[in-house]
Amino acid sequence: MNKIELLAPAKDFEKAKTAIDYGADAVYLGGKSFSLRTRASNFENEDIKRIVEYAHSRGVKIYVTVNIVFHDEDFDGLKEYLKLLDSYGVDAVIVTSPFVMTLSKSVAPDMEVHVSTQLSSLNSEAISTLKSFGADRVVLGREASMPEIVSICSTSKLPVEVFIHGGMCSNYSGRCVMSNRMTNRDANRGGCAHSCRWKYHVYEGGVLISDPNNPLSMSSKDLRAVEYITDMIYCGVSSLKIEGRMKSEYYIAQVVKTYRKLIDEVYENLSINKDRIEYYNRELFKAENRPSDTGFLSGTADESKSLYGVNGAGVTHDYVGIVKGYDERRGLALIEVKNMFDLGDQLEVFGPAIDNKTFVNRVMFDQEWHLLGEAHKPTETIYVRIPFRVSANDMVRKIHES
Ligand code: SF4
């Protein structure tokens, strides 16, 4: 059987490279036009070309989002853009509009068309119809339960992609105008201001009825699907998608690496036990900045899957630096500081080829070989004594005492 695909997001060239280096089979990204994260994207056309070359040289695929909800004024240059993406060798475009599906197939027949989650496809009949528009794959709506995914996969006429991790909407995947109303930023044309995550005071007839010290949000918890990966593999899902085109390189690295290891373990051992599920969940908590849950996979998302007040999760680790090189003879790593850390901190290194090796930070120097007691200047490059071999692009994080 074909191995399931792990599909990661990227905001710019460096983050796409991180996703690839940490084990993604495919990366999706948006250009400056026609994408739902236009404000987040740093992919100029030339960068898309560069990342396609980098990815293909490593057997990784690149998908480009063209998934805004089109108004008449949005079509200018679309045909040329689709042709350009095809000329770069982009493997697929992710689209919402049936018109764009047919247009893409007519101007770039070899480039696959994947139907965006924005279309909220939640049944096999819809998938059959989308096939007639030229779709090659359908990303299911994030509102599908696991039994529904099993059922859809058993009858679907197209490969199915499922979200497994990251932010959720309080409305049907992005089909929401809250941001439009509150900020004049169109959520469906790349401008969502995450208004559902803001804090609100609730008034009735001019009287405050919510706790004045504890304002409410309407936000959904993030999605985390570790316990469902085995079922998804066995029921025939083709691709597992991580949300987060706005996320940091650290988040991308940790989440991609965790699911990469999990998927490989399932293929190797044919299943994973409860302890391993807990282990992978703990790994994801190292990258998490919002509370998470199983979303609709475990059934209707009730109030336990929403965030009415709290917005931050208990972060267990802080990303503090990235390795630029390692002098094995002296046991010194050259580190670019990302966040503050001090002598005496317990640090952990992880990377594409290294798993969670820890050490206590005993010796640091600046570039002039002055001893340091603290590393408090982000972007500064310093030397840190690390008692085991590390490699360029490994990441260093500080373990919280609790
Ligand atoms: S405001 Fe919230 S629910 Fe609406 S599109 Fe944005 S993230 Fe989704």
Side-chain angles (χ1 to χ4, degrees), residues 154-261:
S154 70
T155 53
S156 173
K157 295 199 162 53
L158 289 175
V160 163
E161 182 177 307
V162 174
F163 273 93
I164 54 166
H165 199 87
M168 298 275 283
C169 272
S170 306
N171 290 291
Y172 268 84
S173 296
R175 303 170 86 186
C176 158
V177 289
M178 213 185 304
S179 170
N180 306 46
R181 292 183 196 283
M182 294 186 177
T183 66
N184 212 18
R185 282 167 51 173
D186 190 338
N188 293 289
R189 286 196 278 181
C192 176
H194 290 123
S195 308
C196 61
R197 297 183 186 179
W198 299 356
K199 299 284 181 59
Y200 295 90
H201 292 291
V202 181
Y203 290 84
E204 191 176 280
V207 178
L208 180 67
I209 58 168
S210 59
D211 180 349
N213 301 315
N214 198 12
L216 294 164
S217 90
M218 294 176 261
S219 172
S220 167
K221 286 182 184 170
D222 281 4
L223 176 64
R224 177 173 38 82
V226 167
E227 43 267 70
Y228 290 96
I229 300 302
T230 309
D231 290 350
M232 288 180 189
I233 290 171
Y234 277 107
C235 82
V237 169
S238 294
S239 179
L240 302 176
K241 186 173 205 163
I242 297 164
E243 184 274 349
R245 278 193 282 145
M246 318 269 278
K247 297 291 192 181
S248 68
E249 62 186 346
Y250 172 66
Y251 179 94
I252 301 287
Q254 179 62 21
V255 174
V256 169
K257 179 163 176 140
T258 303
Y259 281 105
R260 172 78 279 145
K261 283 181 63 182

Side-chain angles (χ1 to χ4, degrees), residues 12 27 51 60 96 127 134 224 258 267 277 314 359 368 377:
D12 55 35
V27 173
I51 199 62
V60 172
T96 304
I127 292 173
R224 177 173 38 82
T258 303
Y267 275 90
I277 286 173
F359 67 101
E368 275 77 48
K377 293 183 193 155

Side-chain angles (χ1 to χ4, degrees), residues 103-153:
L103 177 69
S104 185
K105 276 294 167 193
S106 73
V107 300
D110 294 333
M111 186 164 65
E112 285 198 359
V113 166
H114 297 176
V115 179
S116 168
T117 192
Q118 291 285 116
L119 213 51
S120 300
S121 304
L122 290 163
N123 60 78
S124 309
E125 299 300 337
I127 292 173
S128 299
T129 306
L130 291 165
K131 187 168 191 260
S132 70
F133 287 116
D136 297 289
R137 179 193 287 188
V138 172
V139 188
L140 294 187
R142 274 171 277 193
E143 298 75 23
S145 67
M146 193 62 228
E148 285 177 315
I149 292 170
V150 171
S151 163
I152 290 168
C153 283

Side-chain angles (χ1 to χ4, degrees), residues 9-24:
K11 173 183 178 177
D12 55 35
F13 183 86
E14 286 308 318
K15 291 179 187 70
K17 209 168 151 296
T18 299
I20 293 166
D21 295 347
Y22 277 79

Side-chain angles (χ1 to χ4, degrees), residues 261-305:
K261 283 181 63 182
L262 166 55
I263 291 165
D264 292 348
E265 184 173 331
V266 173
Y267 275 90
E268 202 175 315
N269 300 337
L270 304 180
S271 65
I272 54 167
N273 63 32
K274 205 163 163 266
D275 288 347
R276 296 299 289 163
I277 286 173
E278 279 174 18
Y279 163 78
Y280 286 115
N281 276 326
R282 277 198 308 276
E283 284 298 297
L284 291 169
F285 294 150
K286 293 178 180 177
E288 199 158 89
N289 51 20
R290 284 165 45 82
S292 56
D293 207 308
T294 51
F296 286 82
L297 292 171
S298 50
T300 301
D302 59 19
E303 66 182 83
S304 69
K305 292 168 183 168

